Amino acid sequence: MTIVPASARHGAAIEALLDDVFGSDRHGRTAYRLREGVRPVEGLSFVALDADGTLAGSIQLWPVEFAAESGAVQALTLLGPVAVAKDRQGTGIGAALMETAIAHAVAIGRDAIVLIGDPEYYGRFGFTAEATGAWAVPGPVERHRLLALLPEALAATLNTAGALRPAKALSAVRATTPARKGPRRAAAPAAA
């Protein structure tokens, strides 16, 4: 198994994997509402590929912000979904994807990570519900499943009432600008 950055060529396979693992009704869940209108954070989506190139798992991180009375914190990312092919679950692929994504997020300064998931599984990566008890989210959530991995510098700031929401300001350009195809054209010479 190899973990590589996800690209557009993996898109259809990722969607099929997510439908198989989570069901085609997954788009109505609160975690999906936190991703509405935004694209994943550039450089923080990964896929696990078998030796023959078959998709075995995927992970994505999305820009979110925390709005509190004191202002908005935009340096957060929403982790998920983490998906592993049903016949490959329990083999360490999910953990390898988690470790890869977290390491890359920390390396680019996006180390305040939140997710909605199983505390027993995600707790081993440092995620807890300690700071999230007063957070509002755009939909229902079991409070013990709203988890965060926060750097010490942000932990106190985020341990307050506020709302978690998509960070449209961070990704609006990427979400609305079509991908450029082909080489860039040289700029026209300036008039003298």
Side-chain angles (χ1 to χ4, degrees), residues 121-187:
Y121 179 80
Y122 294 106
R124 66 179 158 158
F125 302 102
F127 288 86
T128 71
E130 291 175 14
T132 64
W135 293 10
V137 293
V141 67
E142 296 175 62
R143 301 309 308 177
H144 72 284
R145 294 176 55 84
L146 182 56
L147 307 172
L149 176 65
L150 302 174
E152 193 172 318
L154 276 180
T157 303
L158 296 174
N159 193 3
T160 187
L164 195 60
R165 61 188 184 199
K168 292 185 174 143
L170 292 178
S171 63
V173 172
R174 285 190 196 114
T176 59
T177 305
R180 178 179 280 284
K181 294 184 180 177
R184 292 182 179 253
R185 287 192 261 175

Side-chain angles (χ1 to χ4, degrees), residues 30-36 38-41 44 60-67 72-80 110 112-116 135-138 146-148 150 154 158 163-171:
T30 299
Y32 277 83
R33 294 178 68 190
L34 286 166
R35 298 191 280 267
E36 286 178 352
V38 297
R39 291 183 181 237
V41 176
L44 292 183
Q60 297 169 314
L61 281 90
W62 306 79
V64 291
E65 67 182 15
F66 181 77
V73 177
Q74 294 186 333
L76 280 78
T77 53
L78 175 71
L79 187 148
R110 306 264 328 167
I113 305 170
V114 299
L115 61 85
I116 299 172
W135 293 10
V137 293
L146 182 56
L147 307 172
L150 302 174
L154 276 180
L158 296 174
L164 195 60
R165 61 188 184 199
K168 292 185 174 143
L170 292 178
S171 63

Side-chain angles (χ1 to χ4, degrees), residues 23-71:
S24 59
D25 63 340
R26 62 190 160 86
H27 296 280
R29 296 180 183 169
T30 299
Y32 277 83
R33 294 178 68 190
L34 286 166
R35 298 191 280 267
E36 286 178 352
V38 297
R39 291 183 181 237
V41 176
E42 191 171 325
L44 292 183
S45 293
F46 299 92
V47 293
L49 303 173
D50 286 330
D52 65 358
T54 302
L55 183 72
S58 71
I59 191 169
Q60 297 169 314
L61 281 90
W62 306 79
V64 291
E65 67 182 15
F66 181 77
E69 198 171 289
S70 60

